[in-house]
Amino acid sequence: MGAHRDQDVYRPDEAAAGEARAALVREIGLSGVLDDPAWQTAFAQVPRHLFVPYYFVGRPGGYDRLWYGDLDPRRRERWLRGAYADSAIATRVRDGELISSSSQPSLMARMLDELDVQDGNRVLEIGAGSGYNAALLSHRLGEENVTTVDLDPEITESARTHLATAGYRPAVVTGDGVRGCPERAPFDRIIATCTLPSVPGGWLAQCAPGARILAPLATGLIVLNAGEAGASGRPDFAEGRFLPTAAFFVPLRGTPQGVPMAARPLGGLPKGVTDNDLFRFLLALTEGSLDPHEALSLWELERRPARERYGVTVSGGRQWAWLDDPAGPYVWPLEPTGPAAAGLLSPGGP
């Protein structure tokens, strides 16, 4: 279904859609987020179904497509229920590969809450997706303060159409998310809705002093707080820790793909370890820097640390991850240039 068809979005019974939204808000509230009345209002009023006029549900061997215009009323009802389920929705599949999705609403709410926006903040979103997250930001901050970027012109065209249908017109830019959007900088907040191998260096240069960056990294969510303005007039330092929450997103397009270490079979290691989510997180965070057996030794020595014990520092065009303390004994580069078994860096960063 082409993006031009999205303009003719099926509008279900408003009472049914409103009830579904209210139920979703209640369900998200049970997950411990949405304490902020402004975000409660945004989730209660932004119609998610307008952003997913069609989507895909997994089945053995592929995907089934649900859409608003199905002739079968039972499938249309299933489409509406799915649009307001607290689950991720596959919105674009190409050659059997998922390339875009609308994230799980409760995870979106948690990320937006952790973004800690203030009235008047200018926000850059990396990964336009369906446009739903940009709509929530626009509702909270005003569309003039929101910029969303995606590499795929089909995705940005579709997101722009969905946003306009719902009554929002933030800046929707087709471009490389790694580059950010320098023409609309500076930003007070940057949020990514796709997994990164590292924090793109150009983002920090587009931050206002004291800005906040929230992005999926490895299989977690890193929150970085930028410092004050450096010699360039923009921050040249940012640091922060991971949230406790696990996060699995579609990779940022245009970055090296391959099969992540955290998703590979790991022969020679105990199965009870290789199936452990926190160990897989450590593998993803230290990929290219630590041999898996080294990572296992560290993990066991430090009593299987949770995500929030890890952090990231970005400084002087370089960045590194660490356990407990950025100047402690466990520090490694996020973009190593040496051999895979380069090992830990000396305390204090690379």
Side-chain angles (χ1 to χ4, degrees):
M1 175 176 170
H4 65 282
R5 293 288 305 278
D6 292 353
Q7 298 179 30
D8 183 28
V9 175
Y10 167 71
R11 297 181 182 274
D13 177 81
E14 287 303 319
E19 289 174 5
R21 274 197 303 280
L24 175 61
V25 170
R26 288 194 297 271
E27 185 173 357
I28 295 174
L30 292 175
S31 68
V33 293
L34 278 189
D35 290 335
D36 184 339
W39 285 124
Q40 290 177 12
T41 300
F43 276 88
Q45 294 187 5
V46 175
R48 192 187 191 203
H49 67 274
L50 296 185
F51 295 86
V52 287
Y54 65 94
Y55 56 86
F56 301 88
V57 292
R59 58 169 171 76
Y63 292 90
D64 283 330
R65 181 172 174 270
L66 296 177
W67 72 301
Y68 70 88
D70 199 298
L71 296 178
D72 185 341
R74 292 170 300 180
R75 288 178 64 85
R76 289 201 305 272
E77 182 183 356
R78 183 184 173 197
W79 163 79
L80 183 61
R81 286 200 312 270
Y84 287 104
D86 186 24
S87 59
I89 294 178
T91 56
R92 197 167 294 268
V93 175
R94 184 176 296 159
D95 299 326
E97 179 184 357
L98 175 63
I99 63 171
S100 185
S101 64
S102 181
S103 302
Q104 181 181 12
S106 58
L107 179 57
M108 295 172 69
R110 189 173 300 278
M111 292 173 68
L112 291 170
D113 182 61
E114 292 289 347
L115 197 60
D116 191 28
V117 298
Q118 307 297 320
D119 290 346
N121 277 172
R122 292 170 53 82
V123 178
L124 171 64
E125 178 191 37
I126 307 297
S130 68
Y132 179 55
N133 200 57
L136 293 167
L137 286 164
S138 296
H139 194 286
R140 171 66 178 83
L141 296 170
E143 59 190 26
E144 68 278 6
N145 289 319
V146 178
T147 302
T148 184
V149 177
D150 205 287
L151 184 64
D152 191 325
E154 290 186 6
I155 290 176
T156 51
E157 178 189 355
S158 182
R160 189 179 295 111
T161 300
H162 297 161
L163 283 157
T165 301
Y168 302 101
R169 288 177 172 78
V172 181
V173 178
T174 302
D176 186 352
V178 171
R179 179 176 174 270
C181 191
E183 58 271 26
R184 287 183 57 83
F187 299 103
D188 302 291
R189 301 289 187 269
I190 297 179
I191 182 171
T193 57
C194 44
T195 294
L196 310 170
S198 59
V199 180
W203 291 5
L204 192 55
Q206 295 171 39
C207 283
R212 194 170 176 90
I213 299 172
L214 192 157
L217 183 66
T219 63
L221 293 169
I222 187 68
V223 179
L224 300 174
N225 293 301
E228 296 304 313
S232 66
R234 299 285 170 82
D236 54 14
F237 175 87
E239 189 170 85
R241 290 182 180 269
F242 283 87
L243 300 178
T245 309
F248 301 90
F249 286 81
V250 174
L252 174 65
R253 299 185 69 197
T255 58
Q257 302 293 309
V259 180
M261 179 70 74
R264 298 175 193 167
L266 299 170
L269 295 178
K271 181 173 175 55
V273 169
T274 59
D275 290 343
N276 186 285
D277 173 59
L278 292 177
F279 181 63
R280 289 277 182 172
F281 167 73
L282 176 59
L283 286 179
L285 192 60
T286 59
E287 184 170 6
S289 297
L290 285 184
D291 174 86
H293 290 84
E294 288 180 286
L296 177 58
S297 297
L298 167 62
W299 192 63
E300 291 181 333
L301 179 65
E302 290 298 319
R303 303 178 303 280
R304 304 187 172 195
R307 282 179 174 81
E308 57 267 37
R309 286 181 59 186
Y310 298 90
V312 169
T313 300
V314 181
S315 179
R318 308 176 77 181
Q319 56 187 284
W320 58 95
W322 38 267
L323 176 66
D324 291 333
D325 185 343
Y330 302 122
V331 184
W332 53 89
L334 280 179
E335 295 182 306
T337 56
L344 298 176
L345 298 168
S346 59

